[in-house]
Amino acid sequence: MAANRRQDSQFKVDATGLHYRRLNQLLRQAVADGAERIELQNVYGQRYIGTDLDREVEIEIQGTPGNDLGSFMNGPRITVYGNAQDGCGNTMNDGQIIIHGHAGDILGFSARGGKIFVRGDVGYRAGIHMKEYQDKKPVLVIGGTAQDFLGEYMAGGMLILLGLNLREGEYHRASFIGTGMHGGVIYLRGSVDQFQLGREVGVAEIDEVDCSNLDRLVGEFASYFSYNAAEILKGRFIKLLPLWLRPYGNLYVY
Amino acid sequence: MKTYLPPKFIVDRNPSRCIQCQVCVNQCSFDVHYYDADDDEVRSHEENCVGCHRCVIFCPTQALTIERNPLDYRENYNWRPEIIEDILRQAETGGVIITGMGDDKRQRIYWDHLVLNASQVTNPSIDPLREPMELRTYLGSKPERVEIEPDSLELKTYLAPQVELDVPVMFAAMSYGAVSLNVHESLARAATESGTLWNTGEGGLHPKLYKYGHNTIVQVASGRFGVHPQYLDVARVIEIKIGQGAKPGIGGHLPGEKVSAEVSLTRMIPQGTDALSPAPHHDIYSIEDLAQLIYALKEATNYQKPVAVKIAAVHNSAAIASGMVRAGADIIVLDGLRGSTGAAPKIIRDNVGIPIELALASVDERLRQEGIRNRASLIVSGGIRNSGDVVKAIALGADAIYIATAALIALGCTVCQQCHTGKCAWGICTQDPKLAKRVNPDIGSRRLTNLLRGWSLEIKDMLGGMGINALESLRGNRLHLRGVGLTDTELEILGVKMAGS
């Protein structure tokens, strides 16, 4: 059974042996009771943590949250001291997810807003179909490297891949980067070959606007994971942009 | 390049009736009619005519007749005119041919080969005008058995969320972006008034229509357009769209020119950008993954709403449906070969998927065999034309029916198959504000309500004739059906006997 202790607006939940349904009930209850900070201990694969919460609240996770962490989330800030699994930030609307380990596949799938920072590597199809809308612009910053189809179908937002764990001269491994991309921007630090890029993306040098984006977001990334932002920013960045905003515009006859 | 395509229709303007009033010029959105000021005469560019009849209906003097162009090719069953003309069009453009509405080809329509029973002599029929007749339908997962507290008579069994329908006919998914906002409003209001549900499709829900949320099914499709917490919260049912009958297995593509300011608001994407719906959901590659999304949505709405999963009817639908039920779907939606669309590659629309009658029969049968039929409601769609089709579908095992084309026809659609052009002269499948205002939601909702009322009365008549006073007693009762002109295999799959036996 969960220990659910209340000190002011601080909650602590021991998730040992808790089904996700019960865990999420406790979270909803805590948020309804005015929690400002919730600490989840011994999390072990519970899914959907942070979904159906629609205001700002700090959630700290010790352990390994399960799939769909923060899916449909709308406001909380989740910090994971461990690895995240697949579908983290799925269709997220607002909030932040800070992962001190690695993350699995389809990180930030269809996210419309919010920010996700991953210290380590990410799986396949990170940032797939992220989109932006009015003042909403999802941001994904990945400290390590990524698997194939990074930024596939990307329709908006910003994806930054830092490659901090690559050795001197080592290339990113991902292929099909930005396949089907038709909006948003990918900043890539470290080297890729042309063949690793999707047919729909073009490479550009970074300009002043890009530099200020990178300063801000790499700065934020560095502050979470105790890196020196200036050191990171010394690396060479390239910018990937969709070549066409309507890549499939001429396939059809009416 | 000179086009080798002949005009499809001939516009016959009776000069003794035409008063040069130019109503046809103003009504036509395909630039067929034009006014020649020098000659003071209205003329036609017949090659543009799509046969939608807007001008015919609005001509005040009945001066117009639209006929098929009688131009005949040499007779050839293999190289029919449509096939020749599709090749010509592709030779001139090099593209995928896109079309609207459902499959118009000659695959067998099984509804036309099924007939219903009626009571004669040995069992009394019921007159629905004077005796109670129950069409009420509950959608949602039903428990294995029901336990009641003996003293208080309260229900002890946990009941999954249920949705009550007064009439078992709902409006199928049509997205705002494909159809106009006035169509959405007409559907929403008619569903509310008639005690049934309408479906947003995958393009989000305009905030103006949140007030109809109690009668709204919201769709979560692969593009996740407009899916946000409030959208899920206002809905009565959440439907995960895996596929649709008109284009099984492929994604969708709303061209940027249809993404107006208002459409951008509900889809939550920038104005003028293409809205690409990927072919698969990238978080669903298995039944287990489907379960994950079903429960993600249940968690996101605190288990308050049934979650439906919609698939196109394909060869192994029965096995998939079993998996869907086991994955936690409260409602299963099957969309058949004739399912309609706002835009799909014609070659897919007309060649991929199976007829809904066969899919329905095999899915219902499979779920019964596995003892899990109670765990999900079954909704079917794809070419349901009238209350006869509805009653036959229910006898075959459906809990409720989705209609879309029939609903649009009620609003004026003549099935001219130009939905994908965005130029619908009837103001249905368009985002052009001048055209869209041709559908007035006050009138549109009344036309739809009338249609459902007419069908309800007919359904009650058919039930009464069979001596049944509740739709529930007909559900899955295939003994009330007989087949006409079907092979043994067809009869076996449909689970009905030959007429006369």
Side-chain angles (χ1 to χ4, degrees), chain B residues 184-366:
Chain B
H184 256 201
E185 188 180 341
S186 302
L187 294 165
R189 284 168 56 178
T192 305
E193 213 170 305
S194 307
T196 185
L197 302 176
W198 74 290
N199 189 316
T200 62
E202 64 171 295
L205 177 63
H206 196 282
K208 181 177 148 182
L209 303 179
Y210 281 0
K211 61 182 175 217
Y212 304 109
H214 191 67
N215 293 79
T216 304
I217 300 174
V218 298
Q219 224 178 30
V220 173
S222 63
R224 303 286 155 88
F225 296 112
V227 178
H228 60 105
Q230 209 184 353
Y231 174 77
L232 300 175
D233 282 344
V234 299
R236 188 74 184 281
V237 176
I238 299 168
E239 181 177 281
I240 299 169
K241 178 200 173 184
I242 302 293
Q244 76 183 84
K247 40 180 166 178
I250 68 164
H253 177 185
L254 186 73
E257 51 264 31
K258 284 197 186 176
V259 183
S260 63
E262 291 278 291
V263 170
S264 120
L265 187 77
T266 63
R267 294 220 171 202
M268 304 181 98
I269 51 169
Q271 196 175 338
T273 57
D274 280 6
L276 302 183
S277 294
H281 286 248
H282 280 287
D283 51 354
I284 303 179
Y285 289 8
S286 67
I287 292 292
E288 290 75 13
D289 290 349
L290 174 65
Q292 185 176 309
L293 181 59
I294 291 172
Y295 279 92
L297 292 166
K298 289 186 178 186
E299 279 290 335
T301 51
N302 201 11
Y303 298 84
Q304 300 296 308
K305 301 160 201 281
V307 174
V309 180
K310 173 178 178 177
I311 57 165
V314 290
H315 304 341
N316 55 346
S317 290
I320 297 165
S322 164
M324 285 154 66
V325 175
R326 292 170 197 282
D330 299 288
I331 300 168
I332 286 179
V333 183
L334 299 170
D335 192 16
L337 174 64
R338 289 181 186 280
S340 228
T341 177
K346 188 170 163 185
I347 204 75
I348 304 240
R349 185 196 73 171
D350 295 351
N351 292 288
V352 182
I354 66 172
I356 190 61
E357 303 89 328
L358 302 177
L360 163 60
S362 62
V363 167
D364 179 68
E365 179 59 26
R366 176 70 171 263

Side-chain angles (χ1 to χ4, degrees), chain A residues 33-169:
Chain A
D33 291 347
E36 295 299 330
R37 205 173 153 277
I38 303 169
E39 201 181 318
L40 305 180
Q41 293 173 326
N42 303 313
V43 172
Y44 194 61
Q46 285 93 342
R47 291 176 172 180
Y48 317 120
I49 294 173
T51 192
D52 199 22
L53 301 180
D54 54 5
R55 71 166 168 85
E56 286 177 25
V57 51
E58 287 279 347
I59 300 173
E60 258 181 38
I61 297 177
Q62 304 284 352
T64 308
N67 291 353
D68 274 357
L69 170 70
S71 58
F72 307 106
M73 192 170 83
N74 200 21
R77 172 147 90 172
I78 297 180
T79 307
V80 181
Y81 296 98
N83 298 327
Q85 307 298 303
D86 297 343
C88 170
N90 188 343
T91 323
M92 172 172 163
N93 203 51
D94 205 358
Q96 285 139 56
I97 302 177
I98 298 140
I99 298 160
H100 282 257
H102 305 298
D105 296 342
I106 58 165
L107 176 71
F109 171 35
S110 263
R112 184 185 305 111
K115 293 178 182 170
I116 302 176
F117 296 91
V118 183
R119 181 181 192 135
D121 297 330
V122 299
Y124 291 90
R125 297 192 151 98
I128 180 172
H129 216 175
M130 290 204 310
K131 32 181 104 67
E132 59 191 57
Y133 171 66
Q134 292 180 348
D135 58 335
K136 295 215 170 294
K137 210 169 216 183
V139 170
L140 205 56
V141 186
I142 299 158
T145 187
Q147 302 274 20
D148 293 352
F149 292 102
L150 177 76
E152 189 189 18
Y153 272 122
M154 198 166 145
M158 250 182 262
L159 204 164
I160 303 175
L161 185 69
L162 296 174
L164 298 175
N165 55 3
L166 296 179
R167 289 185 301 272
E168 190 69 27

